[in-house]
Amino acid sequence: MALGTNSLDAPLKQIPSSKLPSPQIVWPWSEEDVPRSSDNVHISAVPANKSIRTFYLQAVKGGDTEILPPPVISASEFVPLALVEHLMRRKRGSALGSKFVPGAEITNMEGAMHTFVVPVVPRCETAGDYCFSAGHRATPPIIVNSGGENVMMTRSVVMSATIHMDFELPTVMLELCRLRNEEVVGKDLNADPTFKILTKDGKKIPALREAYDEALRKHMVFHLTTTHRLPALSEPTNKIMTLEKSLSFLEALINDQAHIPDQLIRRFTQIGTRTISLELLFVAAFQLVRNEFSALEALCPQGYIYTYDPPSIFAQCVDSKLLNRLIILAIKYLSSHNQLTNLRIFGFNDYADPHALDLLKVALANQANMIVVSKGELFQAEDGGFEAGIWKVWKGNGRGNGGRFDVRKWPAARGAMLVVHNNSDGFGQNIETESMSGSLDGAIGATSSAAGSLERGRRDLVDFVV
């Protein structure tokens, strides 16, 4: 199968060190003072009585961009470079439960394009570790006295700000991948010298915005399908399956040795009253995982422990198990063509989909020296949970909701970096504004320095696009 746009080129990107932030910014301490791993916490400059997010945001907004590294932005080759910067700088401060709204600068199809723009923060300071207690949360910070001042201990991790395929509302990915009564013929905007990002004022005019979004949709159709088109709903060669048959079909592909892309051509799933393209969604998922793992392999020569939480909120218009299997199938395709040399552990949050863990083990079966575990197994030191809003440690007796990060029982994982994700869409900078109230965005944003690295106004925000 040959796509003229190479959207299924299987090898990872080869990213030279010259394309990455300098080691002095990523890791400003000596190896003796703070080893380059997530194994232990270390003394930070964050006062115990201050929000870690506020501390770092104020520093970056005040011009101190050396306090935190900017992200490495791993973008698909078909994304126009100007659109990368637009997506990174023009999000709203918050976009809870909404996509494009009048006056906003990110349209629905621009938000879909953000799926293919993956920011990865090379070093993020976290004041707490993951736990689940009536939602995603973080353990309280460890406080110590340093030089007469009470400060937080923090853990250095890698933070991936991957934008998940967005099915929260029917206006983004569902609009992109659904069949219509007439065919949709893709068109490569990179071959159109007249293409420009629609202005903020232009986006206020519905007719202009809808035409602009349709052009972006055709651009993605061109790059995410074999024939550069989506067929009309009534075409007789369409193979339309129920959700149940689609799940079985995808699981069979994960367990089989067949050439995956060929099996997905003209395969569609019926979701309610809509019919969606499995091929387009698979290629989209593959682009996402290729972008992300290319960056992680380059950034983490010491090894990394990858964690993944299926985003239930972004699957409200489609079955979450369908999205999980598409991602796992994309990981299998990536894994079958690459050795993820630095991947030590893949921690998958399987609380809502236990069978996915078995499928993931199959997908990664040819990866040497790595293991697949349930994400919760990584956070069991000082097992505990929240009671009436107060964190209580239960000393690892198995009753808790998680606890401190601990990989001591996996010797090969020692010295590696923990990779955490914020589950977000492409419309709002929720990691900068959302409180810790149950979402992963809020839990990570409120208890880490991530918002400082992703601050929309920092001058070096898009200096490292790969």
Side-chain angles (χ1 to χ4, degrees):
M1 174 179 174
L3 286 176
T5 56
N6 299 317
S7 290
L8 279 171
D9 269 3
L12 293 170
K13 302 176 186 179
Q14 298 302 307
I15 304 172
S17 58
S18 60
K19 296 288 187 179
L20 303 175
S22 71
Q24 293 76 21
I25 293 178
V26 174
W27 213 271
W29 313 284
S30 69
E31 177 72 21
E32 293 74 24
D33 290 337
V34 182
R36 289 163 172 75
S37 83
S38 300
D39 287 353
N40 299 298
V41 295
H42 55 86
I43 293 173
S44 77
V46 185
N49 62 354
K50 192 161 188 175
S51 155
I52 184 172
R53 175 165 59 189
T54 300
F55 175 83
Y56 282 106
L57 266 177
Q58 287 180 344
V60 170
K61 289 182 176 181
D64 183 9
T65 54
E66 293 189 359
I67 196 171
L68 290 170
V72 171
I73 302 171
S74 186
S76 296
E77 288 82 352
F78 61 81
V79 180
L81 189 59
L83 191 58
V84 173
E85 181 162 14
H86 174 75
L87 292 169
M88 293 299 298
R89 293 197 186 277
R90 301 303 178 192
K91 296 182 186 76
R92 309 199 303 277
S94 176
L96 298 178
S98 64
K99 307 305 167 186
F100 175 79
V101 295
E105 294 193 62
I106 305 294
T107 70
N108 289 330
M109 288 301 107
E110 286 178 337
M113 284 286 288
H114 208 327
T115 312
F116 313 110
V117 176
V118 178
V120 179
V121 177
R123 176 182 55 82
C124 171
E125 297 301 313
T126 59
D129 289 332
Y130 177 80
C131 72
F132 189 91
S133 183
H136 299 289
R137 298 185 183 278
T139 59
I142 297 170
I143 306 300
V144 297
N145 188 278
S146 176
E149 182 182 12
N150 289 335
V151 296
M152 296 181 189
M153 301 279 280
T154 60
R155 188 185 309 280
S156 299
V157 302
V158 175
M159 201 284 288
S160 173
T162 299
I163 303 298
H164 293 278
M165 292 192 288
D166 189 350
F167 287 90
E168 184 177 9
L169 298 175
T171 53
V172 186
M173 288 301 292
L174 191 60
E175 183 64 16
L176 168 63
C177 68
R178 71 175 178 89
L179 299 192
R180 301 177 180 180
N181 291 329
E182 64 284 341
E183 72 169 340
V184 176
V185 178
K187 181 181 178 182
D188 184 7
L189 290 176
N190 290 319
D192 181 359
T194 67
F195 171 73
K196 294 181 180 179
I197 297 171
L198 188 62
T199 65
K200 182 177 181 180
D201 286 340
K203 289 169 182 175
K204 295 176 182 177
I205 302 171
L208 291 180
R209 184 179 69 252
E210 290 165 11
Y212 174 73
D213 264 358
E214 186 62 14
L216 287 175
R217 182 174 189 256
K218 289 180 178 179
H219 178 71
M220 287 182 276
V221 167
F222 181 90
H223 288 278
L224 301 175
T225 60
T226 311
T227 58
H228 310 306
R229 66 187 285 271
L230 285 176
L233 186 58
S234 60
E235 289 189 22
T237 53
N238 293 343
K239 301 170 185 175
I240 300 175
M241 300 177 288
T242 64
L243 174 61
E244 291 73 20
K245 289 186 177 179
S246 297
L247 293 175
S248 298
F249 172 72
L250 293 173
E251 289 185 11
L253 286 183
I254 293 168
N255 286 297
D256 196 10
Q257 298 302 314
H259 185 58
I260 293 168
D262 291 345
Q263 304 301 311
L264 291 160
I265 296 172
R266 302 192 76 87
R267 290 280 185 174
F268 305 94
T269 297
Q270 186 90 38
I271 301 289
T273 61
R274 296 177 175 91
T275 300
I276 63 176
S277 169
L278 287 180
E279 180 196 13
L280 186 151
L281 291 176
F282 165 73
V283 181
F286 172 71
Q287 282 289 307
L288 190 158
V289 299
R290 178 178 180 262
N291 285 332
E292 184 177 35
F293 280 100
S294 293
L296 293 175
E297 286 289 313
L299 287 168
C300 302
Q302 69 272 59
Y304 59 97
I305 298 161
Y306 183 88
T307 61
Y308 183 82
D309 291 81
S312 58
I313 192 171
F314 298 121
Q316 293 192 36
C317 290
V318 71
D319 190 271
S320 60
K321 291 182 179 179
L322 183 72
L323 295 185
N324 287 347
R325 278 140 190 79
L326 285 163
I327 288 288
I328 293 169
L329 189 62
I331 289 170
K332 178 183 178 178
Y333 185 68
L334 184 79
S335 176
S336 66
H337 293 84
N338 299 275
Q339 275 296 309
L340 301 172
T341 307
N342 299 324
L343 177 59
R344 303 288 182 261
I345 295 178
F346 194 122
F348 183 89
N349 198 336
D350 63 336
Y351 76 98
D353 190 1
H355 183 46
L357 200 62
D358 296 325
L359 295 171
L360 191 57
K361 291 176 180 177
V362 173
L364 289 165
N366 72 327
Q367 293 301 313
N369 304 316
M370 61 81 57
I371 60 173
V372 176
V373 302
S374 176
K375 179 184 172 182
E377 294 181 55
L378 302 172
F379 299 91
Q380 289 301 319
E382 298 180 358
D383 196 15
F386 286 92
E387 289 186 352
I390 299 173
W391 176 259
K392 295 188 176 181
V393 173
W394 294 330
K395 300 300 180 185
N397 62 12
R399 295 193 300 116
N401 310 113
R404 305 293 178 191
F405 175 67
D406 184 9
V407 292
R408 284 175 295 179
K409 66 178 180 180
W410 300 290
R414 294 181 186 175
M417 293 297 293
L418 173 65
V419 179
V420 300
H421 284 84
N422 68 308
N423 283 358
S424 188
D425 62 16
F427 297 89
Q429 195 84 342
N430 295 347
I431 199 164
E432 187 175 316
T433 56
E434 193 172 351
S435 62
M436 188 169 68
S437 56
S439 79
L440 197 55
D441 236 11
I444 292 176
T447 62
S448 80
S449 67
S453 287
L454 297 170
E455 199 274 321
R456 288 161 288 176
R458 63 179 296 162
R459 62 181 183 273
D460 57 356
L461 181 65
V462 293
D463 280 3
F464 301 96
V465 179
V466 297

